[in-house]
């Protein structure tokens, strides 16, 4: 039996009965909503805070990269250093830091301060999702773990439909600072909900930073992380240039761009639910299927780019197949042994690596003259490479069973 499954089974029956699972899930998902709102809204607020801070947009975009860097650095560092904290205490602390950093972003007096505060905002991101996923999985039977993780991630997917447009509208109507300030308020609400409803757990008596680092000795952990870091990059390769493709290739009205972006969010939400259900029945097959489907959908993107209906359908499907993250999160619970928190947090470092890799490689293709639709071919290649890594992981797991 895996560590992830045994940890769930070990919870006292009385604790499972008395825990208000629905309220806990809502509290955890609210944190995902807050994080998803600021992560994606920073892109749509870019023209406004670049003007407000007196720098050009390419320079201001480094603030987005600073956030991603904060995620990559913060996820493993916090997971290891907080090994002796209870999960409830850690989640509350992470949300407090996240809310403070976003409020400071809203008050940034200059561009260098903005870079610092966006980096700080990213630090709790990966650790929060990792720990929240472990808490959610511990509240349900082992055959419903992925669905529990999906409920937490729904906060992030719904943020792409509701939270990002809300923050963007606030930024346009009241100034860009309000677009970041609202995230601070959402973090405060999450802090209160976790304090009220999260189980009052105790840290494992033998927990330690060295115990968490045990996860790094397992090649299955590394293969799973590599699948996410590369295979998930395909989605970001296309998503990052969707608005540019719509405006310059599809030639739609600027007013339609947010609508198509929202279609992506709907696809991601539905895909997360469907993939979680499938993964609880056949995890390895579900991940492989998602990567194959992603490669096919991304390859169709260049052919759909000139028609608004066709590209909207493809963008929906790109979102739907982007539900890989929830599946990989559960896989890490199975293979991380004593380093559950570290492995779960590193999953989000891997996705932010994908967030950097996909757009960078697609940008190279675009600057070489292949046009914005070429991002689909780049995305397809990344999905196929991710599939190859996953198949190696699958073969390795069967060989060592």
């Amino acid at each position: 039996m895996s560590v992830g499954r045994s940890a769930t089974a070990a919870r006292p029956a009385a604790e499972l009965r008395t825990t208000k699972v629905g309220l806990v899930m809502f509290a955890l998902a609210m944190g995902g909503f807050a994080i998803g709102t600021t992560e994606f809204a920073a892109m749509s607020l870019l023209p406004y805070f670049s003007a407000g801070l007196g720098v050009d947009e390419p320079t201001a975009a480094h603030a987005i990269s600073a956030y991603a860097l904060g995620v990559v650095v913060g996820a493993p560092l916090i997971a290891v250093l907080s090994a002796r904290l209870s999960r409830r205490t850690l989640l509350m602390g992470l949300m407090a830091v996240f809310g403070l950093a976003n409020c400071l972003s809203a008050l940034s007096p200059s561009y260098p301060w903005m870079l610092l505060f966006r980096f700080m905002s990213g630090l709790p991101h990966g650790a929060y999702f990792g720990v929240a996923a472990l808490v959610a999985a511990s509240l349900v039977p082992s055959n419903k773990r992925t669905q529990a993780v999906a409920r937490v991630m729904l906060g992030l997917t719904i943020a792409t439909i509701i939270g990002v447009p809300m923050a963007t509208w606030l930024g346009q109507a009241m100034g860009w600072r309000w677009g970041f300030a609202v995230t601070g308020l959402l973090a405060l609400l999450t802090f209160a909900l976790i304090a009220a409803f999260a189980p009052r757990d105790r840290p494992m008596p033998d927990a330690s930073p060295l115990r968490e680092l045990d996860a790094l000795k397992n090649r299955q952990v590394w293969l799973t992380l590599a699948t996410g870091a590369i295979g998930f990059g395909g989605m970001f390769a296309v998503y990052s240039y969707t608005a540019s493709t719509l405006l310059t290739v599809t030639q739609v009205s600027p007013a339609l761009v947010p609508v198509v972006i929202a279609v992506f969010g709907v696809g991601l939400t539905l895909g997360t639910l469907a993939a979680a259900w499938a993964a609880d029945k056949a995890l390895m097959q579900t991940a492989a299927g998602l990567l194959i489907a992603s490669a096919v959908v991304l390859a169709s993107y260049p052919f759909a780019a000139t028609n608004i209906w066709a590209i909207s359908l493809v963008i929906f499907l790109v979102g739907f197949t982007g539900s890989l993250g929830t599946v990989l999160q559960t896989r890490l619970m199975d293979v991380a042994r004593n380093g559950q928190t570290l492995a779960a947090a590193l999953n989000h470092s891997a996705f932010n690596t994908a967030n950097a890799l996909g757009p960078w490689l697609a940008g190279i293709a675009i600057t070489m003259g292949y046009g914005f639709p070429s991002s689909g071919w780049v995305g397809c290649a990344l999905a196929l490479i991710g599939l190859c890594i996953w198949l190696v992981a699958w073969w390795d797991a069967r060989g060592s069973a």
Side-chain angles (χ1 to χ4, degrees):
M1 183 177 291
S2 70
V3 172
R5 295 178 187 272
S6 61
T8 300
R11 286 178 59 82
E15 186 177 352
L16 285 172
R17 286 197 300 270
T18 57
T19 300
K20 299 178 180 179
V21 176
L23 291 174
V24 177
M25 296 294 187
F26 177 76
L28 299 175
M30 181 57 68
F33 184 83
I35 291 174
T37 296
T38 194
E39 182 178 19
F40 289 96
M43 302 175 192
S44 59
L45 291 170
L46 177 62
Y48 307 103
F49 73 76
S50 65
L53 296 173
V55 295
D56 57 44
E57 289 187 31
T59 301
H62 294 162
I64 298 172
S65 300
Y67 181 93
L69 179 62
V71 179
V72 173
V73 172
L77 190 63
I78 293 173
V80 170
L81 295 180
S82 62
R84 291 191 173 93
L85 292 177
S86 73
R87 288 173 178 172
R88 177 177 176 272
T89 300
L90 179 55
L91 287 171
M92 291 170 61
L94 291 170
M95 242 333 106
V97 172
F98 179 77
L100 175 62
N102 276 280
C103 289
L104 290 173
S105 297
L107 298 172
S108 298
S110 64
Y111 173 67
W113 282 108
M114 182 67 164
L115 281 178
L116 174 62
F117 295 146
R118 294 318 294 157
F119 174 79
M120 290 173 55
S121 299
L123 290 173
H125 176 131
Y128 177 85
F129 276 121
V131 176
L134 293 173
V135 171
S138 73
L139 297 174
V140 299
S142 60
N143 64 341
K144 294 185 181 295
R145 291 175 307 146
T146 313
Q147 295 175 67
V149 174
R151 292 180 193 174
V152 176
M153 296 304 295
L154 280 179
L156 188 149
T157 66
I158 293 173
T160 64
I161 305 171
I162 300 174
V164 175
M166 173 187 67
T168 304
W169 176 81
L170 276 174
Q172 293 171 337
M174 303 176 64
W176 65 267
R177 296 179 186 276
W178 282 99
F180 292 104
V182 70
T183 305
L185 297 177
L186 290 171
L188 177 62
L189 174 60
T190 302
F191 180 93
L193 289 171
I194 292 173
F197 301 121
R200 295 179 178 274
D201 64 316
R202 296 175 182 174
M204 297 290 289
D206 55 350
S208 70
L210 288 178
R211 184 180 172 89
E212 285 295 330
L213 290 171
D214 182 66
L216 301 182
K217 300 176 183 178
N218 190 333
R219 62 176 174 268
Q220 279 292 317
V221 170
W222 287 108
L223 287 168
T224 303
L225 293 173
T227 300
I230 297 176
F232 213 56
M235 185 197 79
F236 287 111
V238 165
Y239 182 84
S240 299
Y241 297 101
T242 295
S244 300
T245 303
L246 289 168
L247 293 172
T248 62
V249 180
T250 320
Q251 296 185 343
V252 302
S253 164
L256 277 178
V257 174
V259 176
V260 179
I261 297 299
V263 167
F264 168 86
V266 172
L268 186 59
T269 300
L270 296 177
T272 297
L273 292 171
W277 175 84
D280 277 332
K281 299 180 181 302
L283 189 148
M284 302 301 287
Q285 294 89 332
T286 298
L290 285 171
L291 286 163
I292 293 170
S294 179
V296 172
V297 169
L298 292 168
S300 69
Y301 181 77
F303 302 103
T306 57
N307 182 278
I308 182 59
W309 296 106
I311 196 172
S312 296
L313 174 61
V314 169
I315 289 300
F316 171 84
L317 293 174
V318 169
F320 193 92
T321 58
S323 52
L324 178 67
T326 302
V327 181
L328 297 184
Q329 190 84 70
T330 304
R331 177 59 181 168
L332 286 168
M333 293 180 191
D334 289 337
V335 300
R337 295 197 292 258
N338 295 326
Q340 294 283 308
T341 303
L342 175 60
L346 281 173
N347 194 36
H348 296 276
S349 292
F351 291 148
N352 275 270
T353 300
N355 194 3
L357 180 65
W360 176 64
L361 292 176
I364 292 175
I366 293 166
T367 55
M368 289 177 64
Y370 293 105
F372 289 112
S374 66
S375 61
W377 295 118
V378 174
C380 176
L382 288 170
L384 290 175
I385 295 172
L387 174 64
C388 291
I389 297 171
W390 185 250
L391 292 177
V392 170
W394 197 349
W395 173 81
D396 179 71
R398 295 180 67 177
S400 58

